[in-house]
Amino acid sequence: MSDKPTLWQTLLSVLSSFFGVQSERNRERDFNGGRPVHYILIGLLMAALFVISIILLVRWALILAGA
């Protein structure tokens, strides 16, 4: 099974890795057909979005708390 994963499949694979769950079939597809740079770039983007969302949530909570 060496079909190339689509952008959506790559995004879902990276998201699955954030939670630590992924099917064996998808893992094999990623390792056999995916380009590592795609997973690295999407992973970095998702990590940055996660950090930004945490910062925004903390700022919002501080505003609600009156700090």
Side-chain angles (χ1 to χ4, degrees):
M1 186 175 205
S2 64
D3 56 323
K4 292 187 176 208
T6 64
L7 178 63
W8 180 248
Q9 290 172 327
T10 305
L11 183 65
L12 288 177
S13 289
V14 173
L15 187 59
S16 297
S17 73
F18 271 64
F19 291 103
V21 296
Q22 186 171 20
S23 69
E24 182 68 19
R25 184 180 64 126
N26 287 347
R27 188 192 63 77
E28 286 181 12
R29 180 202 61 216
D30 295 343
F31 277 95
N32 292 331
R35 293 190 58 199
V37 69
H38 294 160
Y39 294 96
I40 293 168
L41 291 176
I42 291 176
L44 289 173
L45 177 66
M46 288 180 65
L49 288 173
F50 177 73
V51 169
I52 290 169
S53 67
I54 294 297
I55 290 170
L56 292 174
L57 282 171
V58 168
R59 286 186 179 187
W60 181 57
L62 288 174
I63 289 171
L64 290 178

